Amino acid sequence: MGNAESNAYRNHLSRFLPEEQSDIDGVFDTLSGSSGSSAAKNGKATKKTVTLGALQAYMREPLPEQMTVRLYNGMKRNADEKITIIMRMISTTEGPVKGKQIQEFTEDLIMSVVHVLSYRKELKGWNLENTRDSAGGIKALASQLLSELKLADGAKPVGPQLMEMNFDQSVIEDWVYRVPHISTFLSVVIRQGLHVLHSLPDQTKEIVNLVPGCKGFKGRGLVSLFDIPSIIYINSHLPAELQHKWRLLFSSRLHGESFSQLCGHIVNKGPCIVILRDLDGYIFGGFASHSWEVKPQFQGDNRCFLFSVSPSLAVYTYTGYNDHYMYLNHSQQTMPNGLGMGGQHDYFGLWIDSDYGKGHSKAKPRCTTYNSPQLSAKENFTLDALEVWAVGDLPESTETKGKKSILDVDPEAQALLEMTGKSRQSEGLREPIEDDEDN
């Protein structure tokens, strides 16, 4: 990123666009009972006359009450810089703020994003019923974002030390710049909470693709292994051109606990996300940047990564040590059979064995390819549930093939099944063709 572009992006993160500021001021003018002309004469002083009660009445249901109070504290006085608003939202007193206060603000901010997107029906096919409970995900995402707080000397405080430490505005400003989620979340809360800026196009891909469209999931009675905060976080690490849509390819609860079924549903389907839960409740997975192919060689590129969702949320990217990004093999006698990402044969960062149900995550102390720790509770784990999501648009060849089942391709197979009285069950194996606009 060049200097000019970098400065422009930093400005975008640190202050509102003029048209954003104008729209926000208009809301406060309305709430204070001022006309636009008197607002102009008083130079935005009208913000001072807006009461918390007026803002709460205006918000009603879109935002949790504690976020309305934070927004009021942040925006009741003139401020076009987001960092000034964020400092006031974290604490009503001037000066440094404690790590615990930043944590509480960040959790409130994430909770408000989930709440307002659900309220405004902007979750694009996801909802609070077809995903894991977001409470744990909110805390996990807040902890992950807070882990990026860095002191002037470059040190990153952790644990109790972080909670009790004081941070001044320059540290918070640096954090907001390096962790763009904070600025994006604030824009979403203001845009959707105050219900402003709808006359303007979404200014950035960060807001447009904050939540990907969810396809292939509707009406199947499933609850994803993802929660809304982890969807937002993992999606933000995907290549930009893949962030707009996720489509369910495989679910062990829907398609059965079978490695052959898994391969049949994910091969040649484009980039995808594998997520699984072990019997101890740990949830983790990986992003495959290329279509999976069954072959005894490693595949993929350095856009691949591993991640953890629970008990902690984190993304682990390539180290440059080797190119062992992705591996998928089946029915070979001389090579390992299974799905793997990172590390090496028999010592993968993530491994799902072709003897379905078994797997491992080995890292002593870290996976060589992704620098990930052990992702599962135990090094050798038992699989509880597995999902695979295609991300971005499916390859054209796959779209065409996807319209047909084996029953269409092979009429003899259909006739044979009918002769044995099994046609009805076999018809049930057809994947439903879902209209993209459904969700």
Side-chain angles (χ1 to χ4, degrees):
M1 195 181 279
N3 281 342
E5 189 179 347
S6 177
N7 289 337
Y9 185 60
R10 186 161 196 152
N11 285 336
H12 152 66
L13 292 176
S14 63
R15 64 176 61 239
F16 294 106
L17 296 165
E19 53 267 48
E20 287 180 313
Q21 191 65 56
S22 173
D23 220 344
I24 292 165
D25 287 342
V27 169
F28 278 83
D29 290 342
T30 301
L31 293 178
S32 66
S34 304
S35 67
S37 56
S38 65
K41 284 179 198 169
N42 295 330
K44 300 183 187 175
T46 52
K47 279 191 181 182
K48 295 179 182 175
T49 64
V50 175
T51 65
L52 176 59
L55 189 60
Q56 286 173 323
Y58 179 80
M59 293 292 196
R60 292 201 281 288
E61 297 174 355
L63 289 179
E65 185 175 354
Q66 63 265 41
M67 182 49 63
T68 304
V69 174
R70 287 188 188 275
L71 269 181
Y72 177 74
N73 291 332
M75 304 181 74
K76 65 183 176 182
R77 287 172 288 169
N78 301 337
D80 60 355
E81 293 202 358
K82 291 180 185 177
I83 190 63
T84 308
I85 293 171
I86 287 171
M87 290 298 291
R88 292 175 189 163
M89 289 175 76
I90 294 173
S91 173
T92 53
T93 57
E94 298 289 330
V97 293
K98 286 197 176 295
K100 185 166 180 53
Q101 292 175 296
I102 304 171
Q103 180 189 43
E104 290 168 353
F105 159 73
T106 308
E107 288 182 3
D108 278 354
L109 185 62
I110 298 164
M111 178 177 68
S112 300
V113 168
V114 174
H115 181 93
V116 77
L117 290 177
S118 176
Y119 179 82
R120 299 290 188 203
K121 297 184 170 26
E122 293 283 351
L123 287 176
K124 303 179 182 177
W126 305 97
N127 58 55
L128 301 182
E129 286 71 49
N130 68 13
T131 53
R132 287 174 63 241
D133 178 38
S134 286
I138 289 166
K139 288 187 177 298
L141 178 51
S143 294
Q144 171 56 32
L145 299 182
L146 249 70
S147 72
E148 294 297 326
L149 271 170
K150 192 158 53 175
L151 301 175
D153 63 2
K156 288 185 177 181
V158 294
Q161 180 195 15
L162 187 153
M163 292 296 103
E164 294 306 317
M165 186 165 283
N166 287 317
F167 298 90
D168 61 27
Q169 180 165 326
S170 64
V171 172
I172 304 297
E173 189 163 9
D174 170 71
W175 177 58
V176 170
Y177 172 58
R178 288 185 300 99
V179 185
H181 297 83
I182 301 298
S183 180
T184 299
F185 290 166
L186 180 60
S187 292
V188 169
V189 164
I190 291 172
R191 177 185 285 264
Q192 298 290 352
L194 293 177
H195 220 222
V196 296
L197 314 178
H198 291 280
S199 59
L200 304 169
D202 287 323
Q203 297 294 332
T204 64
K205 65 175 175 52
E206 288 94 337
I207 292 180
V208 174
N209 291 330
L210 184 69
V211 180
C214 170
K215 307 297 177 186
F217 209 55
K218 189 176 180 182
R220 287 179 155 176
L222 298 174
V223 176
S224 177
L225 296 174
F226 281 107
D227 50 62
I228 300 298
S230 63
I231 291 167
I232 290 172
Y233 188 68
I234 300 301
N235 196 55
S236 71
H237 286 81
L238 298 178
E241 67 274 14
L242 303 177
Q243 292 179 2
H244 62 288
K245 187 198 307 181
W246 293 15
R247 181 189 297 272
L248 185 70
L249 293 179
F250 176 83
S251 164
S252 57
R253 287 153 294 178
L254 184 67
H255 301 108
E257 298 182 344
S258 156
F259 193 76
S260 296
Q261 279 284 341
L262 171 64
C263 291
H265 281 85
I266 71 171
V267 167
N268 297 324
K269 296 293 172 59
C272 57
I273 291 170
V274 178
I275 183 171
L276 59 100
R277 181 174 59 213
D278 67 20
L279 277 184
D280 292 289
Y282 280 45
I283 300 174
F284 50 96
F287 163 62
S289 59
H290 287 198
S291 281
W292 287 102
E293 296 179 51
V294 178
K295 61 182 183 181
Q297 292 89 31
F298 284 97
Q299 48 197 293
D301 62 25
N302 61 19
R303 296 175 301 164
C304 295
F305 58 78
L306 291 178
F307 62 83
S308 170
V309 166
S310 181
S312 61
L313 181 61
V315 165
Y316 305 98
T317 54
Y318 86 110
T319 62
Y321 182 83
N322 59 37
D323 59 0
H324 298 173
Y325 306 114
M326 304 161 48
Y327 176 89
L328 181 64
N329 207 11
H330 192 27
S331 303
Q332 290 270 327
Q333 291 188 343
T334 57
M335 298 292 284
N337 292 311
L339 182 153
M341 295 189 70
Q344 59 194 49
H345 294 315
D346 301 321
Y347 207 89
F348 282 91
L350 168 61
W351 175 255
I352 300 166
D353 202 87
S354 62
D355 182 4
Y356 191 89
K358 297 177 181 177
H360 72 242
S361 176
K362 297 185 179 181
K364 286 190 170 46
R366 294 272 172 166
C367 167
T368 52
T369 313
Y370 298 112
N371 200 37
S372 53
Q374 180 180 306
L375 300 173
S376 48
K378 301 183 181 77
E379 189 172 79
N380 294 292
F381 63 82
T382 302
L383 197 55
D384 179 43
L386 173 68
E387 294 170 5
V388 182
W389 295 84
V391 292
D393 295 318
L394 286 173
E396 284 185 22
S397 58
T398 308
E399 295 271 18
T400 308
K401 289 176 190 171
K403 305 297 183 189
K404 294 187 177 183
S405 81
I406 186 65
L407 305 180
D408 301 313
V409 175
D410 190 347
E412 289 183 19
Q414 171 70 46
L416 185 61
L417 286 166
E418 286 176 357
M419 286 169 61
T420 56
K422 293 183 179 177
S423 59
R424 182 170 296 182
Q425 293 92 326
S426 304
E427 284 289 340
L429 296 175
R430 261 181 224 275
E431 288 295 314
I433 297 171
E434 183 179 348
D435 186 342
D436 267 9
E437 301 307 314
D438 258 358
N439 282 349

